[in-house]
Amino acid sequence: MAVLTAGMRRSAPSSLPEAAQPRDTPLARRRRRLFWPFVAPALAFLTVFYLGPLLFGIWTSFHRWDGYAPMEWNGLGSYRALLSDPFFRTSMLNTFKILVFVGAAVFVIAFALTMVLRDMAGKKFVRAVIFFPHIVNAMVFGVLAGFMFNPNGLVNTALSALGVDDPPKWLGSDTIFPLIMATMVCTSTGFYVAILMAAVDNIPHYLYEDAELAGAGAFRKFWHITLPLSWDVVGVCAVLWTISSVKVFELVLVFGGTSTTSGPSIETWTSALYIYRNAFTGTDIPQFGTVCAAGIVSLVLVAVFTVLLRRLMRRDPVEF
Amino acid sequence: MSHTGIRAAAVVLASAAVLTSVTGCGSGSGGDGKSFTYWSMWTENEPQAAVLKSAIKSFEKDTGVKVNVQWQGRTVMEKLAPTLTTGKVPDLVDQSDDKLYPTLVQSKRAKNLSHLFDKPATGEKKKLSQVLKMGYMSYLRDQPDGSGNKWLVPYEVTSVNLWYDASDKDVRPPKTWDELLDICAALKKKDRACIAADGDQPVYILWWLDYLADRIGGDGVMKKAITDPSGKGWDHPAVKKAAGMVKELVDKGYLLDGYDASKYPEQQNRWAQGKAAFNLNGSWLPTETEKFAEKGFDYKAAPFPSATEAKGGKRNATDVRLFGFAVPKQAKNAGAAEKFISYFLAKKRLSGIADKAGNITPRPDIEAPSLLRDAQRQMESTPSREQLPGSVTSYTDKVLYPAYKDLFFGHASPDRFLAKVKKLHTSYGEGRN
């Protein structure tokens, strides 16, 4: 996308007065000549691997298609089918739960940790430790879930040693999704701490000292200094989180699912999982029309959400 | 368009052409019958792969036909699907019948293999149809054209039985449902669990309802419930009665605790440790749990108990699943592939599936490994049926499991279960546009 906007920006100067246009300078001409050779390969990749499949996906969503027989026109049939599928709604709702609730938790904790770590001795080491879960493959946590949360697992054994006789059914239908969300908070926070820390480290120390002299507490320092001065980075983090939360897949797959063919229980599906389970069906004929429609619907929703988020977070950058 | 623009467009097109040619490359096969390509459902280090590998080696030596084998693993059908339109299909594939059916048979792309049953396996005298137990194949879904042509040659067969530890003095194989309840009650008095089940495995817990409805209402009850678009099949009294019987097991506390909140294979491992008496499970259970079994554990399989007035009766079918070979219609070297099928089905080669891979073959003259002898005997002496007949993965995901889980986990009455399953059945039908 950056490539495209760069292209657009180049055409913008045409509205400038004739004298200000850099059109005729030899440098500008050479630049112009080099524009396409540099952009073309990336554009070709983008077209072949993203734009093409996306257009094909939109096209397929208006058809009935099992992947090998010729496509049959289906109009909005697939979209209507999605509406009548209660589990599509569940999957979308789960994705939004992750987006909003896990996102909120991640950011609150990340900010809190950032505040604590800012003045801490050995903060680089601590940051590395907090970051570590992020580089561990999500599969590991899924596999660990059984070991930890089975009725006779580590957690319940520890709880019974502490005298808790009736521990919750961790992997039961009602608790497994909150458990997955909690795991996500643990694995994602470190990543955002690292990014926010980098932004916070750039804030001049004297601002904090000044605030301290003025009698500001930790929260006021955060509200009036840290947040406004790292706002740009927070905005980028919010978009990064939005995109990554929509793609949540493997953690749910292995957390609730098992090594056999049956996947996780449908109540834990996210939109990505909905698409996967409907496309790679095991003993069913795939319904790629519906699958593509589901993909398009979630793409549109995410795009809308991201645009709104960017609008909401738009501020003039503070120079310092 | 300026010169720069044209040049740019050319660069884009050229790059796109290069990319598509790179992604689209593959190898075509000659179709000379001197070699064939086999995509296997096994991965290379599995015991079945070892048996197949040694058969391939001797086949190449005996016939001079080269086998290009690719160990694709369980997703072989997903990989096969896109090739079916390209003409670059493998000549031979294998999988379980329920996985082969949608991709290969329902799409009318399976070759008719009936003739292989009319001739003997390589080096034998009797026809293949005389040495295999053909009854196993009776439950298989027909070709879409209703021709009755055979599309699968099975080489391995699994069943679902009631497994128990014969060395456990409190446990005996129940002939009837009431007898099972009696055993459970006696165990309960001793503070022991009766039944182990991994509740996160939809099919594992659904077997209870499926088998019971079959025993009470006979063959066809569950098939109608699952496949009748109107949803009226779920109103059959046998289904309701079966649901009530499942509820009784739950309400009386006969299930090993934690079954509703554990991660497979936790409960079956606990069963092997003697924590519960019975486990309704596949004939793969001994292999899976052997490592966890307590010392002296004596694996025995009983048929699912009868639940009709006339004890035993005709309703004694066993859930069977076949694994075998199929040949895509467009296969260029179908002849060579079929030759290999006949070669592998000979007793000499197929015995490896029992002796080395520890499984049951569809040939009664090959004795199953000792752990599975019970299961083999039951399958051979009873009619075969398909588990959850007519069901597909998405139906289990979206209709059966979400509704049935409530019943099996004790949250819903049989009536509430039936109301939910019918509601989901209807919305599932609407979603299949």
Side-chain angles (χ1 to χ4, degrees), chain B residues 220-235:
Chain B
V221 171
M222 280 308 282
K223 185 161 193 168
K224 188 159 193 303
I226 290 167
T227 55
D228 183 355
S230 73
K232 284 196 183 116
W234 287 104
D235 292 330

Side-chain angles (χ1 to χ4, degrees), chain A residues 36 64 68 74 81 85 87 150 152 169 171-172 254-255 257-258 260 262 265-267 269 277-278 281 283-284, chain B residues 8 11 78 85 98 103 107 200-201 258 260-263 266 270 392-394 397-398 405 427 431-433:
Chain A
W36 279 110
R64 254 186 225 109
Y68 18 86
N74 190 24
D85 185 349
F87 295 112
N150 262 327
N152 298 296
K169 290 181 171 174
L171 298 173
V254 288
F255 215 95
T258 54
T260 67
S262 44
S265 170
I266 200 159
E267 290 88 356
W269 286 12
R277 288 290 288 180
N278 279 286
T281 45
T283 61
D284 195 3
Chain B
V11 172
E78 276 91 336
T85 46
D98 58 330
T103 313
S107 67
D200 62 339
Q201 289 291 300
D260 53 348
S262 62
K263 200 165 154 64
E266 171 78 357
R270 289 177 72 202
V392 290
T393 310
S394 62
D397 272 349
K398 293 181 179 176
K405 197 167 59 166
S427 64
R432 302 289 283 182
N433 64 102

Side-chain angles (χ1 to χ4, degrees), chain B residues 34-103:
Chain B
K34 292 209 173 107
S35 70
F36 73 90
T37 308
Y38 163 38
W39 283 10
S40 176
M41 68 172 284
W42 309 105
T43 48
E44 206 169 351
N45 50 5
E46 286 181 284
Q48 279 91 341
V51 175
L52 282 156
K53 241 190 238 172
S54 85
I56 288 169
K57 212 172 153 193
S58 62
F59 177 75
E60 287 180 333
K61 212 173 112 198
D62 292 352
T63 62
V65 177
K66 169 111 183 61
V67 184
N68 303 308
V69 59
Q70 290 183 27
W71 306 104
Q72 301 278 11
R74 299 300 183 277
T75 52
V76 60
M77 285 298 117
E78 276 91 336
K79 290 168 187 157
L80 175 73
T83 70
L84 289 173
T85 46
T86 64
K88 283 172 183 161
V89 289
D91 303 297
L92 180 68
V93 289
D94 56 0
Q95 227 328 344
S96 59
D97 65 81
D98 58 330
K99 303 248 164 56
L100 283 165
Y101 191 82
T103 313

Side-chain angles (χ1 to χ4, degrees), chain A residues 65-68 278-281 284-289 291, chain B residues 81 102-103 432:
Chain A
W65 192 42
D66 59 6
Y68 18 86
N278 279 286
F280 302 102
T281 45
D284 195 3
I285 286 210
Q287 300 204 309
F288 286 120
V291 170
Chain B
T103 313
R432 302 289 283 182

Side-chain angles (χ1 to χ4, degrees), chain B residues 152-217:
Chain B
L152 174 88
V153 181
Y155 62 76
E156 186 177 308
V157 51
T158 63
S159 66
V160 177
N161 310 82
L162 197 59
W163 290 89
Y164 64 98
D165 173 11
S167 72
D168 189 333
K169 297 220 162 37
D170 294 334
V171 184
R172 61 180 193 280
K175 284 205 174 60
T176 64
W177 185 258
D178 292 338
E179 213 179 317
L180 175 71
L181 293 181
D182 289 345
I183 299 169
C184 286
L187 285 163
K188 177 105 185 151
K189 270 190 197 143
K190 292 187 175 174
D191 215 16
R192 289 191 61 192
C194 187
I195 293 157
D198 275 293
D200 62 339
Q201 289 291 300
V203 174
Y204 284 21
I205 59 173
L206 277 159
W207 283 327
W208 285 96
L209 179 82
D210 185 41
Y211 252 138
L212 272 169
D214 178 77
R215 293 291 187 261
I216 300 163

Side-chain angles (χ1 to χ4, degrees), chain A residues 5-30:
Chain A
T5 45
M8 271 145 58
R9 247 180 238 152
R10 279 201 54 80
S11 61
S14 62
S15 61
L16 293 174
E18 201 63 29
Q21 282 195 14
R23 268 186 178 282
D24 299 333
T25 64
L27 178 69
R29 234 176 292 146
R30 216 171 282 170

